[in-house]
Amino acid sequence: MSNDSGYPENCDPSRNQSGAELTTLLTNAGQSALIDYMNTYWLPNTGAAPNSLWSHEWDTHGTCYSTITPSCLGSSAGSDAVVFLETVVGLFKGLDTYTFLSDAGIQPSEDSVSYTDLTDAIVKATGFTPKFDCEDGSIYQITYYFNLQGALGDANFQGIGNDGQYPENCDRSRNRNGAQLTRLLANAGQSALVSYMNEAVVFLETVVGLFKQLDTYTFLSNAGITPSEDSVSYNDLTNAIVKATGFTPKFDCKGGSIYQITYYFNLKGALGDGNFQGIDIPSFVSSGCPDTVAYLPKSS
């Protein structure tokens, strides 16, 4: 996800499909009922043909899912687009926002309604907080966020909140204490990694590998920014890292000083051998740093 609420886009133009081509693919897949549903509920707000919007969404976002490529599915070209559209509509049907709000006594009208009441109604129905987008004081879009477990077509979608919080302690049967992790790493021939981190094996190798690649000190030093007692522009810090990496991290500050820098990624593939694509800080995550901050030496 990028800093303007966008996601990686147009990842594989060779898989693009026009609106007419998508309609044909769905028809050939026996999905005429899905076409009828999409013609009713998945419409552009510009007056254009409905399938022009489906094509835009598939080309822009659907082609970025590597787990539904025809080679992964073991099926013919275009099958990936069918899986994408089936999945998107299936999720939409499971998120009946109108009913969620109606059950809380909130109906479409010219009257204003509390943002808290809207949020509470959806949280009560789903268990997680969506993102509301507004223009001129009116809601025009509601976005739900998920963590995806598995390949897109048969995955488990876990709803997550709009507050940047993710599920934790998901499987306590896989918990490991520090000594157990150390033994696992040693048995895997990773003694050098144990000494480097001293605290599973694929997870730790991946985390440390990412950390080694993100030499933030050097990124900033190359821009003439070194730890000191002096304040530095937040924009200068951000620009230095964007120049080095191509994406914007999250800075956390306390007492006007940086205490943590967080990088975000989209992961294509499995954790151990996947492709980590750096992305900008999500729009729903706030940085919480002033315009000028202290980048202090570690001893400070």
Side-chain angles (χ1 to χ4, degrees):
M1 181 182 293
S2 68
N3 202 24
D4 59 358
S5 296
Y7 289 76
E9 298 182 350
N10 302 303
C11 298
D12 187 354
S14 69
R15 295 161 63 197
N16 286 3
Q17 305 285 349
S18 69
E21 289 170 331
L22 288 177
T23 301
T24 299
L25 286 169
L26 290 170
T27 300
N28 292 342
Q31 291 289 355
S32 297
L34 179 60
I35 295 173
D36 292 341
Y37 187 90
M38 291 164 64
N39 275 322
T40 302
Y41 294 102
W42 199 356
L43 308 175
N45 58 9
T46 61
N51 61 14
S52 66
L53 175 60
W54 314 340
S55 173
H56 168 77
E57 295 300 327
W58 163 250
D59 293 351
T60 306
H61 304 299
T63 59
C64 294
Y65 286 94
S66 60
T67 57
I68 57 170
T69 58
S71 60
C72 286
L73 293 173
S75 53
S76 59
S79 57
D80 47 354
V82 173
V83 170
F84 174 77
L85 296 174
E86 291 172 339
T87 303
V88 170
V89 172
L91 285 171
F92 175 78
K93 288 181 176 180
L95 295 165
D96 187 352
T97 306
Y98 178 89
T99 298
F100 299 160
L101 298 177
S102 180
D103 288 345
I106 302 172
Q107 301 279 349
S109 75
E110 299 294 328
D111 299 327
S112 295
V113 60
S114 161
Y115 174 79
T116 299
D117 289 345
L118 289 165
T119 303
D120 289 347
I122 293 183
V123 171
K124 181 179 179 180
T126 65
F128 50 93
T129 307
K131 176 188 177 190
F132 290 85
D133 287 302
C134 298
E135 281 186 355
D136 300 324
S138 298
I139 299 169
Y140 78 90
Q141 179 173 276
I142 300 174
T143 305
Y144 294 87
Y145 294 88
F146 297 89
N147 277 329
L148 173 61
Q149 292 184 329
L152 185 70
D154 56 2
N156 175 24
F157 286 84
Q158 292 186 326
I160 60 174
N162 180 28
D163 55 1
Q165 299 302 311
Y166 291 81
E168 297 180 350
N169 300 306
C170 299
D171 186 352
R172 294 183 184 277
S173 68
R174 297 163 62 195
N175 285 5
R176 300 288 187 270
N177 62 33
Q180 290 170 324
L181 289 176
T182 300
R183 285 196 299 273
L184 285 170
L185 289 167
N187 292 339
Q190 290 292 341
S191 298
L193 181 59
V194 172
S195 62
Y196 184 88
M197 192 168 176
N198 198 29
E199 264 233 11
V201 172
V202 170
F203 173 76
L204 296 177
E205 290 173 342
T206 303
V207 171
V208 173
L210 286 171
F211 175 77
K212 288 180 175 179
Q213 293 175 36
L214 295 166
D215 187 353
T216 306
Y217 177 87
T218 298
F219 299 159
L220 297 177
S221 179
N222 288 341
I225 303 171
T226 55
S228 73
E229 300 292 332
D230 299 326
S231 294
V232 61
S233 162
Y234 174 77
N235 285 338
D236 288 346
L237 289 164
T238 302
N239 290 339
I241 294 183
V242 171
K243 181 179 180 180
T245 66
F247 50 92
T248 308
K250 176 190 176 188
F251 289 86
D252 287 300
C253 296
K254 283 183 179 178
S257 299
I258 299 170
Y259 79 92
Q260 179 174 276
I261 300 176
T262 304
Y263 294 88
Y264 291 84
F265 298 89
N266 279 329
L267 172 60
K268 286 188 173 183
L271 184 69
D273 56 3
N275 178 20
F276 285 82
Q277 292 186 326
I279 60 174
D280 291 338
I281 173 178
S283 61
F284 55 81
V285 178
S286 59
S287 187
C289 288
D291 291 339
T292 58
V293 298
Y295 172 38
L296 299 174
K298 288 184 178 181
S299 58
S300 299

